Each structure stands twice: as C-alpha cells, then as structure tokens.
C-alpha cells in the first residue's frame, strides 16, 4: 500500500482555553475525495487549516506525502519542520476558500499566473498557455481580462480553483467552496470539483452539500465537537449512519 | 501691472525654494513612512513599539519646535552634535515629521486589507515579503490615495514654516515686499502661487485615483 497523501494523527488544536480539535486522525490516499461534514463550530475549517499550516497545532502529527510537517514526541513536545520545509510541503496543497480570496487588483489571468511567476519563477510565456488552458477548463477563458469584482460568485470561485491548480498541487483542500454562493450558482462550482475528482485529484472538501458529498466523495467524515465521529464510504454513511449524532445531523440536513 | 512684474521675480525665487523643500521632503518622507509602517505592522514587537513611540513624539510636538530643535539645539546634543545649514535642517525636520504622518496613513491602509488576502497569497506559496509587495501594498496604495493627497497638500503649505530658519521661501519673500512697500499685493500673488501648486497636486492625485479605479475594493 502506498503511503497516504495526508496522514494526520491525534491532532489537537486549542484557541486560548478552548480545545477546538480533540485528537483528529485521518489518512487520505492518492486520488481519494473525502468530504468533511458536521455542524457549525465542529472544527472542520480549523482541521483543514491545520493541514496547510494556516493554523499551528498544539499536539499530534501531520505528514504530507510521507514528509513530516509537524510531529509530537513521546514526551509531548510538538515540533514543526524548518520554515523552508514547511513552505515546500505546503506548496503541494492548493486551497479554495469560502470567500474566494481572489486578488481584486489583478485581472483573472493575473490572479492565475501570479504565484507561478512569483513563487516558482516561471516566465510569463511559460505559464500563460497553461493558465489559459485552466481558465478554459473552468469555463472562464473569455473573462481572463476582467477584474474579479466584475464576476459572479460562481465565476470567482472557479477562478480561485484555476488559480490553485496553476501551482500544480497534488492535493486540493476546499473549505465550503459553495457556501457563499447563491443556490443557482453552486452547480457550476460543484461541477468543476467533480471534474477534478474524475481526474483523480486528491481532495478534502468541507461541505454542506450532502447530495454532492454522496455522489462525488469516496469517503465522508463526520465531525462534531472537535472529533471525527465517523469516517466511512459515502454510500454506507448516508444509508446507515452509525453514530447517533451523525444520524441526528443528517436528519436535520435532509 | 509694472509693479507686478517687479515683484514677480523675488516671489518666483521664493517659490523655487518652497518647491525644492516640498519635493525633496515628499520624495524622502513617503518611502520612510512606508518603511516605518511596515515595521509597525511586523511581528517584531519591540521594533514596532519603538516606531509607535517615534510617531507619538513626531505627531505630539509642533513641527516648528522640531525644526528649531534640529537647527539650533542639535549641535549641542552629545554624541550626535552636528550643525546643519538651514536648508538640510529644514529637510531633515520635514522628512522626520511627515514620515510619521505618512506611516500612520500606510499603517491604516495595510490594516484595512482583509486577512483573506494574506491567506490567499500564503496558500499559493508566497512569502510574507512577496505578499506585501505583490498583493497587499498595491491595494493599500489605491486605498490611501485620498489621505495621501491631503497630507501632501498640507506639506506644501507647511513649507512656509521654514521662515523661522530665515530661509527665503515664497511666504517670507512676499512678507518682505509687503513690509517694504506697504502693499498687500504680494500676499495675493503668493496665495495664487500656493493655489496653483496645490491645484497641480490635486489633479495629479485625481489622475492616480482614476487610473486605479479599474477595480473595486
Ligand atoms: N481564530 C480563532 N480564534 C478563536 N476561536 C476560533 C478561531 N477560529 C475558530 N475558532 C473556534 O473554533 C471552533 C471551530 O471552528 P471552525 O471554524 O473550525 O468550525 P467549522 O466546523 O468550520 O464551522 P462552520 O461550519 O461554521 O464553518 C469554533 O468554536 C470557533 O469559534
Ligand atoms: Mg468552517
């Protein structure tokens, strides 16, 4: 068995006095699409943000593609990799946010090519064809010269996805990519994510879209109170939730 | 009319001094202000609080006092003890003082940028310096144009303070003629010159604002 793309073990995270993650363990294999569901405040976003070092954990360990981002020794000392390694490891993960976080002063195309040029040192003529291909893929090639403020929410999110893909990540993290969108715009974004799934991109998707989780995810993780209560193949979990709180949550959602 | 032609010479000379002091002070104090602001918002708490104290000092005492201090008192300060001629002394005072004001403008601008911009840049692999240079500061620059314009126009008018160092700027030149000839005409001309200078600046800033209006936010 190949090593997992993401391997988080016993991750704890506290904000001041509040323990937000209480020993979260999850391994994600190459090509898996894992949906993370759970009530508001259960720690879904925080867990995702710990994986790419937007938050630092207080205990536990995280390996990305076999490389240690952070580890905790037997006597409880939590130690991160050196800064340069952290940056290198985290670059393998792309992230898409609920509120897009596009750069408003740049055009759509500039948003997509900014990091490849600034971070990877690519020349414009090396990255522009690839950026255009990505924009075509998300259906926004004709808007490449627009600024984000001229786009709809669904279009913004598709640009954000193209922007993340331009860095050629091995893993994509999505934090409620459709929650800020009008209901009629969620479909176009979910379609883009589904296409990525078909190309076997490894993905971790925090979502409130149960239909999407059921159809696209290979596995669904239910989080509550900073813990993973259930992590099972999508069909199984939706058909017969084991944990009473999963059952209650799903009944509420449907 | 004849009289106007006669006084215009010295007034233009005075305008030259005013413009020099303004331009040099502006060109030096804006980058210094930006540097101070970057230290102020950095994670280096000690350096940040030093800058904070500096800004408090510069904004909390009169510019004229600072100028007099640099010109008259600095030579007697142990260790530093340099005697500056009037022109450099004026420049140093303006740069030190205005950098503090510009720093506050930049700081407010930087802090007005949404945290999501930093995170968006970070997950793409940009370093803090790259994030500042490529993502944050270009947006800050657009946002601070109005207060920057204000402060710049104030600087033009504040240059008249150099009369305390007996330098012949526009206002002092005008006052000299008024006292000599017992007419208020030179004041009117001086006012017109100041208005012209600030008009040019206003138009320049308006141009910049329009140029940056291609995007919202
Ligand atoms: N920066 C922070 N400082 C303090 N507390 C925080 C911070 N970020 C999150 N929390 C707290 O951590 C808990 C988990 O938050 P998190 O955002 O991970 O939940 P979530 O499952 O993503 O919820 P939602 O579905 O509403 O997005 C919440 O109680 C929240 O208030
Ligand atoms: Mg969340």
């Amino acid at each position: 068995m190949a090593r997992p793309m993401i391997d988080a073990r016993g991750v704890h995270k506290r904000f001041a006095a509040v323990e937000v993650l209480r020993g979260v363990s999850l391994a994600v294999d190459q090509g898996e699409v894992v949906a993370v569901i759970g009530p508001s405040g259960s720690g879904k976003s925080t867990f995702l943000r710990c994986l790419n070092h937007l938050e630092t954990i207080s205990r536990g360990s995280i390996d990305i593609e076999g490389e240690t981002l952070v580890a905790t020794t037997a006597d409880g000392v939590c130690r991160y990799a050196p800064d340069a390694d952290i940056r290198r490891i985290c670059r393998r993960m792309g992230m898409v946010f609920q509120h897009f976080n596009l750069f408003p002063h740049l055009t759509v195309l500039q948003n997509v090519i900014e990091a490849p040029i600034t971070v990877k040192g690519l020349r414009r003529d090396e990255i522009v064809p690839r950026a255009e291909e990505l924009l075509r893929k998300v259906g926004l090639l004709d808007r490449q010269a627009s600024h984000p403020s001229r786009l709809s929410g669904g279009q913004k999110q598709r640009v954000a996805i193209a922007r993340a893909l331009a860095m050629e990540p091995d893993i994509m993290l999505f934090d409620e990519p459709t929650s800020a969108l009008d209901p009629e715009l969620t479909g176009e974004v979910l379609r883009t994510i589904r296409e990525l799934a078909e190309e076997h991109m490894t993905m971790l998707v925090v979502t409130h879209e149960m239909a999407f989780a059921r159809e696209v995810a290979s596995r669904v993780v239910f989080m509550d109170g900073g813990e993973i209560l259930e992590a099972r193949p999508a069909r199984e979990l939706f058909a017969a939730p084991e944990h009473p709180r999963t059952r209650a949550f799903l009944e509420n959602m449907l | 009319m004849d009289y106007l032609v006669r006084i215009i010479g010295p007034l233009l000379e005075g305008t030259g001094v005013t413009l020099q002091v303004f331009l040099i002070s502006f060109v030096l104090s804006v980058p210094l202000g930006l540097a101070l602001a970057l230290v102020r918002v950095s994670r280096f708490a000690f350096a940040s609080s030093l800058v904070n104290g500096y800004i408090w000092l510069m904004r909390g005492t009169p510019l004229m006092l600072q100028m007099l201090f640099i010109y008259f008192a600095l030579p007697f300060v142990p260790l530093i003890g340099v005697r500056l001629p009037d022109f450099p002394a004026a420049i140093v005072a303006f740069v030190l003082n205005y950098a503090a004001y510009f720093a506050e403008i930049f700081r407010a601008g930087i802090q007005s940028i949404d945290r999501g911009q930093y995170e968006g840049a970070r997950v793409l692999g940009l370093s803090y310096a790259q994030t500042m240079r490529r993502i944050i500061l270009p947006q800050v620059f657009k946002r601070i144009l109005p207060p920057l314009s204000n402060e710049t126009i104030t600087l033009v008018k504040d240059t008249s303070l150099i009369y305390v160092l007996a330098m012949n700027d526009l206002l002092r030149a005008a006052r000299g003629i008024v006292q000599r000839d017992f007419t208020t005409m030179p004041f009117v001309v001086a006012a017109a010159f100041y208005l012209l200078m600030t008009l040019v600046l206003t138009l320049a800033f308006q141009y910049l604002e329009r140029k940056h209006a291609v995007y919202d936010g």
Side-chain angles (χ1 to χ4, degrees), chain B residues 20-21 89 109-110 122 126 131 144-146 161 163 170 183 187:
Chain B
Q20 271 181 44
V21 172
I110 292 170
R122 169 111 169 256
L126 274 76
T131 303
I144 64 167
L145 279 175
L161 285 172
Y163 82 89
L170 174 56
T183 158
F187 280 156

Side-chain angles (χ1 to χ4, degrees), chain A residues 212-227:
Chain A
F212 171 80
R214 189 203 314 253
E215 273 178 58
V216 179
S218 38
R219 239 179 344 141
V220 176
V221 167
F222 175 72
M223 281 186 78
D224 194 10
E227 289 173 306

Side-chain angles (χ1 to χ4, degrees), chain A residues 44-46 98 175-176 206:
Chain A
K44 307 181 295 293
S45 298
T46 305
Q98 184 174 352
D175 190 4
E176 301 197 26
V206 175

Side-chain angles (χ1 to χ4, degrees), chain A residues 15 18 20 38-47 55 98 175-176 206 208, chain B residues 115:
Chain A
F15 288 113
V18 193
V20 177
S40 184
S42 55
K44 307 181 295 293
S45 298
T46 305
F47 178 58
E55 307 283 357
Q98 184 174 352
D175 190 4
E176 301 197 26
V206 175
H208 288 296
Chain B
R115 200 175 55 128

Side-chain angles (χ1 to χ4, degrees), chain A residues 49 53 87 102 104-105 114, chain B residues 116-117 119 122 125 134 139:
Chain A
R49 295 164 57 83
H53 196 241
R87 274 188 76 188
L102 292 179
H105 61 304
E114 174 60 41
Chain B
Q117 291 292 303
E119 295 189 344
R122 169 111 169 256
R134 305 281 310 169
Q139 297 182 57

